Amino acid sequence: MRAIVLFVLLSGLGGATAAAGEPDFAALAETPRWRALMHVNPGATLRDVGASYVDDEAFFLAGDGKRNPEAELRASWRALREPAAEARCRFPARYRFLDERLGWNEDAPLAHCGEYQQWRDDMPIGQLVLVFPAAYLNSPSSMFGHTLLRLDERPDPDAVWLSRSINFGAQVDAEENSILYIWRGLAGGYPGQFSVVSYVDKIRDYAFIENRDMWEYALDLEHDELDWLVRHLWELRDINFDYFFFDENCSFRLLELIKVARPSAPLLEGYRFAELPLNTVRTLYAADLVIERRYRPSKLTQLRHSADRLDADELAFAEALVRDPSVADSPRFRSYPGERRHLMALTAYRAVRVRHRDQERTRQAASDSLALLRVVQRNPAPPEEPVPAPPPPESGHRTQMASLAAGRRGGSDYLEAGYRLTYHDLLDPITGFLPGAGIEGLDLRVRLDESEGLILERLDLVNIRSLAPRGTFEKPVSWFVHGGMERIVEGDARRTGLFLEGGPGASWRFGGLMPYTFLVGRAETVSGREPAVTLAGGAEIGAVHYTGGAQLGVDLQALALDDGNDRYRARLSVGIPLARNQALRGWCAHEAWQGREDNACQLGWRHYFD
């Protein structure tokens, strides 16, 4: 009898000990580190708040792990607690979390994970840098710029040959057209994945092929914090997230990754309707994570800088050297001082490199490059003049805009209220933005007109203008596209209709002046009109002038409609910055159509915010 009683007591004591020794999974699952490892949506976007952003079953060990961080923690504990468990090789960051929280304290717990150990040994962990290649309008995936991370072996911005780039991007078919890309990107139609590749390859992609200047922001993260990030990168190999162009994009995912390194950093607080690379940089500054900023000019910027140092005759010699490097042996070229010969040859060398940037390197191009490089090397260099850094992107205005204006059209006064989701037009304050690049999305204007009452004046879904200036050595194509709803002239009235217009063109730059010209194609439809769709073709000429205190614009457009009517428009505009996020905008316009004329002027105030 005593034996039975003793057995029952011991059994009860053992059960109590097991229960007392089980981890408090509920509390652990609420820790910032575990929620960061699970990529739990804290309410930064509206999709699946409280669930994981990861959209791949391979990432989860529990059946409901995506929506239940505690269940995923329990499943991870069961899979990782046994020494030499294969799950440790798949989830080294989760193992470290449990090891530290539960005090497992094993020697060489990942010694059996050969593939991971080899990959881990090849990853430099000295410094993490956010890299921001500036906006590139000729690529729909990069219109707002792009962000990636760089892992350096040590905090030396010039020692990047062994560095690794960490990128998040949509998995897109290379042959897919730009319109389909934008549509599917807006709707979350692409999977997105993290990738880790050599940083040198990324420099070539962004700073050379696409001719984008790059900004680099060194982050204040310690080695131990970077270890968390690198371990988690291994866990994200080939793991899919939904990719959304406006919010859950490259910049947003990088903030999630940095959150793994430092869960206490305020990186995903508040709702984000749109996450732009520019806002990501500002978020890192607000979290006190940026310790250094560096500007890295593109090959095209370097070419323009050296060309600007030549006078007209020297520039003509540089052009001749591009066509035939043997010009360097001519008596007239040799009559120049050595420093000027060096600069002319350097300009020609850079021009040859830029000209063949997106082509297979031919034997002739290689021969010309080598010949010009020899001319550069055998002539003394002039005093160095580094490429001057423009104002950094984060110094510019905020990316949303609200406006109030008053105006008069055709003898009728009106008040106008507006809201623009994103981002910048040609006459907004230019500090921190690329001159000649305008990207607007969801621009709404509502008017209270004394004659017509409350009306929708316009709703621009997209309005992009790319003024890519032509120069001595490069001849890019400028272009624009503009579409949405607006008040379209119809006889002696204006009626709300849909429109889409755009076309190619050319632009130039002379100091702060950027003249341009476009061919214009247009389609529009107004309810009740026959035929339903009206087509038009024509041209537009104009100019933008960036002064020290204002932005001036003038444009003239002429369209011939397929119904036999013509339209003409002339507009003069001015943007006057008042402060970083405040500006005045005024314009006057004259329009003529079907023997009728209309004049309008408006003055308004703009406030930029996030």
Side-chain angles (χ1 to χ4, degrees):
M1 186 67 180
R2 290 182 179 179
I4 295 175
V5 172
L6 182 60
F7 175 78
V8 171
L9 290 174
L10 290 175
S11 298
L13 182 61
T17 302
E22 184 174 284
D24 185 350
F25 291 113
L28 289 176
E30 291 299 318
T31 59
R33 178 83 70 188
W34 183 253
R35 294 179 69 83
L37 288 171
M38 291 295 101
H39 295 262
V40 174
N41 178 0
T45 59
L46 293 181
R47 290 176 288 272
D48 288 335
V49 176
S52 175
Y53 282 119
V54 179
D55 295 285
D56 196 320
E57 292 182 358
F59 184 75
F60 302 102
L61 294 172
D64 59 344
K66 177 177 174 64
R67 301 185 181 280
N68 191 333
E70 181 181 344
E72 186 63 21
L73 180 58
R74 288 178 179 274
S76 299
W77 174 69
R78 287 192 296 268
L80 298 171
R81 62 181 174 177
E82 296 298 328
E86 283 302 314
R88 294 185 179 186
C89 304
R90 178 70 184 86
F91 298 107
R94 294 192 197 184
Y95 173 81
R96 180 179 173 183
F97 176 83
L98 289 168
D99 177 31
E100 292 185 355
R101 295 287 176 161
L102 304 181
W104 287 348
N105 296 323
E106 300 177 39
D107 292 329
L110 304 180
H112 60 293
C113 305
E115 185 181 359
Y116 165 70
Q117 294 288 4
Q118 182 176 355
W119 177 87
R120 175 65 180 76
D121 290 343
D122 290 338
M123 293 293 288
I125 305 185
Q127 178 177 255
L128 187 68
V129 178
L130 180 90
V131 181
F132 180 10
Y136 180 67
L137 295 190
N138 288 340
S139 169
S141 64
S142 302
M143 288 180 180
F144 298 100
H146 182 62
T147 48
L148 61 146
L149 295 173
R150 189 184 74 216
L151 270 173
D152 297 337
E153 190 174 37
R154 60 184 186 275
D156 183 350
D158 295 319
V160 298
W161 301 106
L162 298 178
S163 298
R164 296 288 186 274
S165 71
I166 304 167
N167 187 66
F168 180 84
Q171 304 302 297
V172 182
D173 187 336
E175 302 301 320
E176 198 154 293
N177 68 69
S178 298
I179 299 299
L180 182 59
Y181 169 81
I182 293 175
W183 170 249
R184 291 186 64 184
L186 289 172
Y190 293 112
Q193 291 184 1
F194 283 93
S195 62
V196 181
V197 299
S198 166
Y199 180 68
V200 174
D201 293 338
K202 284 298 177 184
I203 289 180
R204 183 179 184 277
D205 288 345
Y206 291 116
F208 188 55
I209 292 180
E210 295 186 349
N211 287 322
R212 288 199 263 177
D213 294 344
M214 299 172 70
W215 292 89
E216 301 175 352
Y217 301 86
L219 304 183
D220 184 21
L221 293 173
E222 298 177 355
H223 184 279
D224 183 68
E225 294 173 309
L226 295 180
D227 177 72
W228 278 105
L229 184 146
V230 171
R231 285 171 179 255
H232 188 57
L233 272 176
W234 176 263
E235 298 178 344
L236 296 177
R237 291 178 309 148
D238 302 321
I239 294 297
N240 289 326
F241 295 73
D242 283 344
Y243 179 92
F244 290 88
F245 192 70
F246 270 129
D247 50 12
E248 296 178 31
N249 52 27
C250 64
S251 293
F252 187 86
R253 295 288 179 238
L254 295 186
L255 289 178
E256 286 185 73
L257 196 59
I258 297 170
K259 190 81 170 174
V260 171
R262 184 174 292 179
S264 62
L267 302 178
L268 300 176
E269 277 63 24
Y271 171 65
R272 284 168 155 75
F273 186 81
E275 181 63 35
L276 302 180
L278 178 57
N279 293 339
T280 299
V281 173
R282 289 172 174 158
T283 295
L284 293 174
Y285 269 102
D288 200 26
L289 279 170
V290 179
I291 56 176
E292 183 183 11
R293 180 184 63 225
R294 181 183 176 91
Y295 170 66
R296 195 181 292 270
S298 70
K299 300 296 183 184
L300 181 56
T301 299
Q302 293 174 3
L303 167 60
R304 290 171 176 167
H305 177 64
S306 58
D308 287 345
R309 299 173 66 186
L310 303 177
D311 62 28
D313 289 339
E314 293 170 335
L315 195 58
F317 256 118
E319 289 184 82
L321 286 168
V322 171
R323 295 189 296 268
D324 181 7
S326 67
V327 170
D329 297 324
S330 67
R332 189 175 172 205
F333 180 81
R334 295 178 64 83
S335 68
Y336 280 89
E339 291 183 353
R340 305 311 296 174
R341 294 198 301 267
H342 176 102
L343 192 54
M344 286 185 280
L346 177 62
T347 303
Y349 171 75
R350 287 174 170 171
V352 169
R353 300 283 289 178
V354 167
R355 182 166 297 177
H356 295 277
R357 65 190 180 274
D358 55 358
Q359 306 170 2
E360 274 194 42
R361 194 177 185 191
T362 65
R363 180 173 296 181
Q364 185 62 50
S367 175
D368 289 349
S369 294
L370 180 60
L372 290 169
L373 188 58
R374 285 172 174 164
V375 178
V376 171
Q377 292 175 338
R378 68 173 177 247
N379 286 285
E384 184 178 1
E385 291 186 18
V387 177
E394 68 274 12
S395 66
H397 64 75
R398 300 290 179 172
T399 53
Q400 297 185 65
M401 186 271 294
S403 63
L404 291 173
R408 183 176 180 85
R409 181 192 291 277
S412 179
D413 296 327
Y414 64 84
L415 296 175
E416 180 181 278
Y419 166 77
R420 186 181 68 198
L421 171 64
T422 190
Y423 154 77
H424 176 81
D425 70 29
L426 296 183
L427 299 184
D428 280 329
I430 192 60
T431 300
F433 290 85
L434 181 67
I439 311 173
E440 300 177 83
L442 194 62
D443 190 359
L444 172 67
R445 306 295 169 86
V446 178
R447 285 186 181 177
L448 182 60
D449 188 280
E450 66 175 357
S451 299
E452 299 182 84
L454 187 65
I455 57 174
L456 172 64
E457 175 64 18
R458 71 181 313 116
L459 174 59
D460 290 342
L461 298 180
V462 61
N463 188 3
I464 301 172
R465 291 197 163 229
S466 173
L467 304 185
R470 299 166 71 87
T472 302
F473 300 106
E474 71 281 352
K475 312 293 180 184
V477 175
S478 297
W479 60 277
F480 84 102
V481 62
H482 187 191
M485 301 174 64
E486 69 175 3
R487 302 277 286 175
I488 298 173
V489 292
E490 181 80 2
D492 59 355
R494 293 177 181 272
R495 299 171 59 191
T496 302
L498 301 173
F499 77 98
L500 177 64
E501 64 182 18
S507 63
W508 299 263
R509 184 167 186 177
F510 307 98
L513 180 65
M514 297 186 72
Y516 64 86
T517 181
F518 289 121
L519 295 175
V520 181
R522 179 181 171 98
E524 65 183 37
T525 178
V526 177
S527 178
R529 179 190 288 181
E530 292 293 338
V533 177
T534 301
L535 302 179
E540 178 180 325
I541 61 172
V544 180
H545 187 207
Y546 297 103
T547 71
Q551 292 74 239
L552 305 175
V554 60
D555 63 88
L556 301 95
Q557 188 183 86
L559 292 177
L561 282 67
D562 63 359
D563 61 7
N565 294 309
D566 297 333
R567 288 185 199 155
Y568 304 93
R569 184 196 71 216
R571 180 190 296 259
L572 178 65
S573 306
V574 59
I576 303 174
L578 301 177
R580 178 180 177 185
N581 293 305
Q582 311 289 335
L584 293 178
R585 175 67 59 86
W587 56 262
C588 287
H590 173 77
E591 294 180 85
W593 73 98
Q594 295 176 298
R596 298 174 174 84
E597 294 186 350
D598 195 3
N599 296 307
C601 283
Q602 177 178 296
L603 178 63
W605 164 79
R606 293 186 162 204
H607 171 63
Y608 305 89
F609 64 98
D610 287 338

